[in-house]
Amino acid sequence: MQQGQNRITQLFNIQYPIIQAGMIWHSGWKLASAVSNCGGLGLIGSASMYPDILRENIQKCKKATDKPFGVNVALLYPNLEEIINIILEEGVKIVFTSAGSPKAYTETLQKEGIKVAHVVSSTKFAMKCEDAGVDAIVAEGFEAGGHNGRDETTTFCLIPNVRKHISKPLIAAGGIALGSQIKAAMILGADGVQIGFSFCCDYRSKCAQ
Ligand SMILES: Cc1cc2nc3c(=O)[nH]c(=O)nc-3n(C[C@H](O)[C@H](O)[C@H](O)COP(=O)(O)O)c2cc1C
């Protein structure tokens, strides 16, 4: 493995093990391509997008960056089949699924050469992801924005426990913003981090200037 690389940077072919979370209403092509251009992994959040809007965001993102980017698919929203078809037709290479079973689309997407990560909020569900054969697991603590799990386990309690039970590449999410927090997550067993709220604040404050 090259210096500075780890399982997450290698899996997604990125420079830094930092993922910009898919966020309903907040992560379109502009934010995703900006993060990917800086060496992280930008995700388009499809949950707030009608299928034609998603297609437009993917096409604009492809024009705005030649770096890898992905799409977040929250499995509880309508038009799922249509969303998945657009992802396949547009040649998206990375998909982060959430809010549903990791078994639902992992195999279908992987058959087309797509890397799949799934988001969970507990060790029990992380183990289900491993059984489903996902490429990476996002373990999201209770601090995370958006929908959270019922267990209310905080990120830095969740990560070491998930690490104990799974061997797949692990991404920590929830309340992470600073370099020291990224380092702490990795010391506790994560291979990378997914950051939501801080990216959307930072992006919006810069765009407002
Ligand atoms: C405004 C907002 C919208 C979100 N929407 C989604 C979503 O559509 N799908 C999803 O999987 N997670 C969603 N999340 C959770 C993020 O993907 C991510 O895991 C979380 O924001 C990480 O915690 P942090 O915000 O403390 O960095 C959302 C988070 C925020 C703040």
Side-chain angles (χ1 to χ4, degrees), residues 11 44 49 75 107 110-111 129 132 146 151 153 156 164 176 179 191:
L11 178 65
I44 295 172
M49 296 178 184
L75 300 171
E107 208 182 324
Q110 285 175 335
K111 271 190 190 149
C129 287
D151 294 359
T153 311
F156 285 173
K164 242 189 253 168
I176 297 169
D191 301 287

Side-chain angles (χ1 to χ4, degrees), residues 30-46:
K30 282 188 188 171
L31 179 58
S33 61
V35 172
S36 289
N37 279 331
C38 290
L41 179 69
L43 297 181
I44 295 172
S46 70

Side-chain angles (χ1 to χ4, degrees), residues 21-24 26 47 72 74 98 119 140 143-146 173-176 194-198:
M23 287 174 284
I24 187 165
H26 288 82
N72 168 255
S98 60
V119 184
E140 192 182 64
E143 299 92 326
I176 297 169
Q194 170 168 284
I195 299 175
F197 191 66
S198 298

Side-chain angles (χ1 to χ4, degrees), residues 54-75:
L54 173 64
R55 193 188 291 280
E56 187 185 328
N57 271 267
I58 295 171
Q59 290 176 349
K60 286 185 171 166
C61 203
K62 284 196 276 195
K63 282 194 186 131
T65 184
D66 56 3
K67 302 272 172 34
F69 70 92
V71 174
N72 168 255
V73 181
L75 300 171

